[in-house]
Amino acid sequence: MSNPVRTRFAPSPTGYLHIGGARTALFAWAYARRHGGKFILRIEDTDVARSTPEAVQAILDGMNWLNLDCDEGPFYQMQRMDRYKEVIAQMLVEGTAYHCYAQPEELEKMREAQMVRKEKPRYDGRWRPAPESNKTLPLPPVDVAPVVRFRNPVNGLVAWDDQVKGRIEISNTELDDFIIARADGTPTYNFCVVVDDWDMGITHVIRGDDHVNNTPRQINLLQALRAPVPIYGHLSMILGDDGTKLSKRHGAVSVMQYDEDGYLPEAVLNYLARLGWSHGDEEVFTMEQFVQWFDLDHITSSAAQFNTEKLNWLNAHYLKEADDGRLMLEVGNRLARRGIPLESIASLEPVVALYKDRVGTLNELTDASEPFCITIHPSAKMRETHLTDTACHALQDLRTRLANCDWEKPALSQALKETLTACGLKMPQVAIPLRVALLGQPQSPAIDAVLEVMGREGVLARLADII
């Protein structure tokens, strides 16, 4: 490529970073990394009424959790107001923009009349300077603050080769002279985006297809400013599991909610990468592989469908592959948030190693680890069902044997077998009450592994309490 690739992610801080925005950020980030370019983060915060510092932080937190590091930024549009006003002033001088004094009620009557005539509602250019038609404009009212409108071309087409959707052409007769600065002087979204992309040297704009209708206006603005026009790629929307528009019940929640729900960022990234993009039959891959393979040619133009089962499968896979020390810290933090302080977080490492193949999320791993860290009080129903006189007699026998045996699985298994023989019972008749006594529940991994991980002191103390 002749110019270094420069992509951007430009969220509006009017809410959290959701799955759709995260996928857009991932694709823009990966494209820049793939081509040795730069990835820019820009916060489009000109909607003062709806933008909040909390939403800005939520975006930054989400990007940080996903490890989508930017090379430049974050830049904030509200800090660039002087630049926008400078460009608008120059456009007014050059005649590519003009003041419009039409009032809202006047424009509403205009639209109503157009609809009666079955015309497309649009600004009719009543304040557009048009010396070629010798149109005389009325004198500007002295008590009205004007907006600034872009003087859109009236002839020809706006066309671009969209990297996802293919060739798109829009007639300029479909566009009107849209507002680029409000009456109070604040610039509008389409104008700020154009100036930012120009000033920041953006070569590729990768964004959701809800922006397709903005693109012809932005291209015309760029051409009026004699600025380079980026290459555009518009990603199709993401549908929920049931094929309807993505909503909170299928995953349109904050990216950080996935952290709260116990997903690993690499699982979420791997899943997002497959939402509308593919590389053969590959399902599981690292971000290094993704960057190496990623390009815009293999993005589908049809809507992607969210699949919670696939995300859960990926998360379980990454949990199995994760370093035990990392999982130990994750589980320790989650336990702390539940109000369970740990004297030694290192004691969790063998616990997470025992359970990580059996769970689907970090929260499930935390649930499984919690009984090893707190005093267990089996429910009355559990006691009545499993801790019978016969069972307690067997547990007493086992406790005596465990007090003196080597604390490793072969010796622990042998102690269990000796208790079964001495009491004339089968393994479930002892193993299930033992699980209830130690963990408060009748299911667990292999009971000799549980004994080994819990340690002699913990096992003997819990059995003494129960018996």
Side-chain angles (χ1 to χ4, degrees):
M1 296 186 179
S2 56
N3 296 322
V5 168
R6 291 175 63 83
T7 66
R8 46 81 159 177
F9 178 52
S12 173
T14 55
Y16 42 69
L17 176 62
H18 56 75
I19 281 293
R23 183 188 65 165
T24 297
L26 172 62
F27 284 10
W29 173 87
Y31 193 80
R33 295 286 175 269
R34 168 74 174 81
H35 295 285
K38 300 291 185 183
F39 173 63
I40 292 91
L41 177 60
R42 188 170 76 217
I43 306 297
E44 298 187 340
D45 56 350
T46 53
D47 188 346
V48 178
R50 296 172 61 216
S51 298
T52 66
E54 292 78 13
V56 172
Q57 192 58 51
I59 290 168
L60 299 179
D61 289 345
M63 295 289 286
N64 183 61
W65 184 68
L66 292 170
N67 296 311
L68 297 179
D69 54 315
C70 63
D71 300 295
E72 298 175 18
F75 298 106
Y76 296 88
Q77 286 185 330
M78 286 301 293
Q79 297 175 5
R80 289 175 45 79
M81 285 295 149
D82 289 345
R83 171 60 175 157
Y84 302 141
K85 292 176 181 178
E86 172 192 328
V87 175
I88 287 173
Q90 185 61 35
M91 292 179 70
L92 288 168
V93 170
E94 294 177 354
T96 54
Y98 61 92
H99 287 121
C100 171
Y101 294 86
Q103 294 300 286
E105 57 274 13
E106 179 185 352
L107 295 173
E108 184 58 33
K109 289 180 181 178
M110 175 196 73
R111 293 188 188 95
E112 289 174 357
Q114 290 169 335
M115 293 175 71
V116 168
R117 298 193 300 268
K118 300 189 182 309
E119 298 174 358
K120 178 180 178 179
R122 49 180 290 145
Y123 176 67
D124 62 3
R126 59 186 59 190
W127 283 95
R128 175 185 172 115
E132 65 275 5
S133 62
N134 297 315
K135 180 174 74 173
T136 302
L137 297 177
L139 291 174
V142 295
D143 57 345
V144 173
V147 300
V148 178
R149 290 185 181 270
F150 171 58
R151 185 168 176 158
N152 195 77
V154 294
N155 300 311
L157 297 172
V158 188
W160 73 96
D161 293 312
D162 196 280
Q163 298 299 290
V164 177
K165 297 186 173 299
R167 182 75 171 178
I168 298 178
E169 296 182 350
I170 306 292
S171 171
N172 276 314
T173 60
E174 294 294 311
L175 309 174
D176 61 3
D177 291 358
F178 57 94
I179 295 171
I180 60 175
R182 302 176 184 89
D184 63 2
T186 59
T188 59
Y189 165 78
N190 274 316
F191 179 79
C192 295
V193 167
V194 161
V195 176
D196 290 343
D197 286 346
W198 178 24
D199 287 354
M200 296 175 190
I202 302 302
T203 61
H204 293 75
V205 173
I206 300 168
R207 59 187 179 185
D209 63 3
D210 52 326
H211 288 285
V212 167
N213 290 338
N214 292 323
T215 304
R217 294 175 172 83
Q218 293 173 10
I219 290 175
N220 279 341
L221 264 174
L222 286 161
Q223 291 175 338
L225 293 169
R226 297 179 293 279
V229 176
I231 295 170
Y232 292 93
H234 290 90
L235 310 176
S236 296
M237 68 187 301
I238 301 173
L239 302 177
D241 295 80
D242 56 3
T244 61
K245 184 179 179 181
L246 196 66
S247 65
K248 287 185 178 181
R249 65 190 175 90
H250 345 68
V253 295
S254 168
V255 163
M256 296 311 295
Q257 185 63 48
Y258 288 89
D259 179 32
E260 289 292 320
D261 291 344
Y263 289 89
L264 294 172
E266 57 265 39
V268 175
L269 285 169
N270 192 155
Y271 181 71
L272 287 177
R274 292 279 291 150
L275 273 179
W277 172 87
S278 62
H279 182 79
D281 296 326
E282 301 290 344
E283 293 284 353
V284 180
F285 42 80
T286 65
M287 280 301 98
E288 290 76 13
Q289 289 172 311
F290 176 56
V291 166
Q292 181 181 352
W293 298 334
F294 183 75
D295 226 316
L296 301 177
D297 297 340
H298 293 92
I299 297 176
T300 178
S301 59
S302 57
Q305 189 161 342
F306 197 88
N307 186 324
T308 303
E309 285 187 8
K310 179 61 70 64
L311 174 58
N312 291 342
W313 177 83
L314 278 169
N315 202 58
H317 166 81
Y318 280 103
L319 280 170
K320 291 181 179 69
E321 300 294 317
D323 176 74
D324 293 343
R326 174 192 174 191
L327 296 180
M328 171 188 73
L329 294 174
E330 290 280 3
V331 168
N333 289 334
R334 280 168 165 75
L335 287 171
R337 291 201 290 271
R338 296 181 184 186
I340 303 172
L342 299 176
E343 294 180 5
S344 172
I345 198 171
S347 64
L348 285 173
E349 187 163 355
V351 180
V352 300
L354 179 61
Y355 278 91
K356 69 177 187 178
D357 288 354
R358 302 168 61 92
V359 298
T361 68
L362 284 169
N363 288 355
E364 291 176 8
L365 187 56
T366 304
D367 292 341
S369 302
E370 184 173 324
F372 290 81
C373 308
I374 61 175
T375 301
I376 293 299
H377 300 287
S379 67
K381 186 174 182 179
M382 281 283 185
R383 286 176 174 273
E384 180 182 349
T385 303
H386 300 292
L387 297 177
T388 63
D389 290 344
T390 300
C392 286
H393 174 73
L395 294 182
Q396 178 64 65
D397 181 90
L398 178 62
R399 185 178 186 277
T400 301
R401 298 177 192 279
L402 293 177
N404 299 301
C405 75
D406 293 335
W407 208 261
E408 53 188 26
K409 281 199 288 186
L412 297 170
S413 295
Q414 183 59 34
L416 273 165
K417 291 174 184 176
E418 291 173 1
T419 291
L420 296 178
T421 301
C423 299
L425 300 173
K426 297 184 181 299
M427 180 61 80
Q429 293 175 290
V430 176
I432 292 176
L434 179 57
R435 289 184 171 98
V436 171
L438 299 180
L439 302 173
Q441 56 196 25
Q443 295 89 28
S444 78
I447 191 61
D448 55 351
V450 171
L451 291 169
E452 184 180 48
V453 166
M454 186 167 285
R456 189 192 309 271
E457 183 180 343
V459 169
L460 297 181
R462 292 182 187 216
L463 288 177
D465 287 343
I466 289 295
I467 297 167

